Amino acid sequence: MAGTAEVLAKAERFPGVRYPVLVPNQKGLDAVTSLLAQNPASPPLTDEISIFTAATDAFTRANLNTTTAVSLERLAPVTRAALDQGLRVRGYVSVVIACPYSGPVDYARVRDVAKALVDMGCYEVSLGDTVGMGTPAQVSEMLEEAKKSVPVERLAGHFHDTYGTAVSNVLTVLEHGIRTIDASIGGLGGCPYSPGATGNVATEDVLYALQGSKYHVAGTKDGTIDLEQMVDIGWWISEQLGRESTSRAGRAIRARRLREQQKAKL
Ligand SMILES: CC(C)(COP(=O)([O-])OP(=O)([O-])OC[C@H]1O[C@@H](n2cnc3c(N)ncnc32)[C@H](O)[C@@H]1OP(=O)([O-])[O-])[C@@H](O)C(=O)NCCC(=O)NCCSC(=O)C[C@@](C)(O)CC(=O)[O-]
């Protein structure tokens, strides 16, 4: 968390793109507030914070050094203060399917924690399969429970791809009415307290899977994004970070291009 302000101050920003900042507590909000005060800009460096907790005490202890109930008590005034400053607040519930420390998750806890985050002022709650073990059947069951307390329009899907089910889980939650999906280019991401978990579902893989579907990508000219360009970006950032892209579509398209180059040489 300590380097957040430095990263944000150096990030190149583009109109229409949001740059939410992960804020675990009041100190995190204070860092954002002072950064905005020291760097007045229009549009501001950020207009949104993301607060986070989990569906199990065991994960919240690892991630926030407290229980879920205490984290919610601490985050309520942080959310009010952020809203008072005109910031948007997004919430995350981690480990909505399985917890790396306490095993299978009670979906009623997901329901109740998501409701607590909405009640304190989050405009949206992202449901995170942090360990990436969820199957479409489990995700469906969890979502049916969460929808009992939070309208589906206020929910988002956040899937890590450890067991290779993230894209199918994305398609599952879309069928349930969720319209916001967290994804990362090249499959980057991951939580330091989720041992063995891979990064988030790759943006390239979600885009590939949505091709020909009834879903369109919001904020784009024709509802699509140039997948070939996204693949280039996924490989570029992965190489900057000294890693391989974990995007299946990214790897397949790179391999296809290599075959085409070899064929052209013949
Ligand atoms: C929250 C704490 C700090 C509590 O940790 P703590 O030890 O209870 O906090 P503390 O108040 O005792 O402070 C300990 C030290 O941290 C400092 N500190 C205190 N707060 C901050 C802050 N906001 N920013 C920077 N520094 C901070 C504080 O100043 C102090 O520094 P010292 O005096 O020892 O030099 C710790 O548990 C922590 O850093 N947690 C975050 C861990 C993390 O980065 N998790 C990954 C986030 S992403 C995620 O969770 C998954 C998600 C959301 O993406 C979705 C999903 O996949 O599920």
Side-chain angles (χ1 to χ4, degrees), residues 1 24-25 27-28 52 63-65 92 94 130 158 160 192-193:
M1 293 286 115
N25 55 19
K27 190 176 170 76
F52 52 97
N63 206 19
L64 290 173
N65 204 20
Y92 284 86
S94 293
T130 313
H158 182 103
H160 291 258
Y193 300 95

Side-chain angles (χ1 to χ4, degrees), residues 7 19 33 43 58 79 83 106 109 144 146 172 174 199 209 233 239:
V7 169
Y19 298 87
T33 306
T79 301
L83 293 171
D106 175 2
R109 288 270 341 251
E144 284 304 337
T172 300
L174 288 171
I233 297 166
E239 281 146 18

Side-chain angles (χ1 to χ4, degrees), residues 83-250:
L83 293 171
D84 289 348
Q85 294 175 36
L87 293 170
R88 290 160 38 108
V89 183
R90 190 179 198 235
Y92 284 86
V93 183
S94 293
V95 297
V96 294
I97 301 291
C99 172
Y101 308 105
S102 54
V105 166
D106 175 2
Y107 299 150
R109 288 270 341 251
V110 176
R111 178 198 67 208
D112 297 344
V113 175
K115 181 170 187 324
L117 290 170
V118 168
D119 288 352
M120 69 172 75
C122 291
Y123 74 88
E124 181 174 83
V125 173
S126 183
L127 301 174
D129 175 16
T130 313
V131 293
M133 293 176 74
T135 64
Q138 290 168 329
V139 167
S140 271
E141 193 187 335
M142 177 278 295
L143 203 45
E144 284 304 337
E145 192 60 35
K147 283 166 35 175
K148 288 177 185 169
S149 75
V150 176
V152 72
E153 303 76 36
R154 308 284 294 272
L155 296 172
H158 182 103
F159 297 103
H160 291 258
D161 199 27
T162 316
Y163 282 72
T165 54
V167 167
S168 42
N169 291 337
V170 164
L171 298 176
T172 300
V173 299
L174 288 171
E175 287 301 300
H176 274 267
I178 280 188
R179 287 298 177 269
T180 303
I181 299 295
D182 298 349
S184 62
I185 197 79
L188 295 178
C191 175
Y193 300 95
S194 179
T198 63
N200 290 82
V201 65
T203 309
E204 306 92 308
D205 296 350
V206 175
L207 291 175
Y208 182 78
L210 293 182
Q211 287 185 344
S213 74
K214 59 189 173 190
Y215 303 110
H216 300 283
V217 180
T220 60
K221 279 195 297 296
D222 61 357
T224 63
I225 294 184
D226 183 325
L227 179 58
E228 296 281 331
Q229 282 193 29
M230 292 297 278
V231 165
D232 291 338
I233 297 166
W235 277 107
W236 174 80
I237 187 74
S238 297
E239 281 146 18
Q240 301 300 311
L241 297 172
R243 71 188 285 280
E244 288 274 305
S245 167
T246 57
S247 159
R248 302 291 295 274

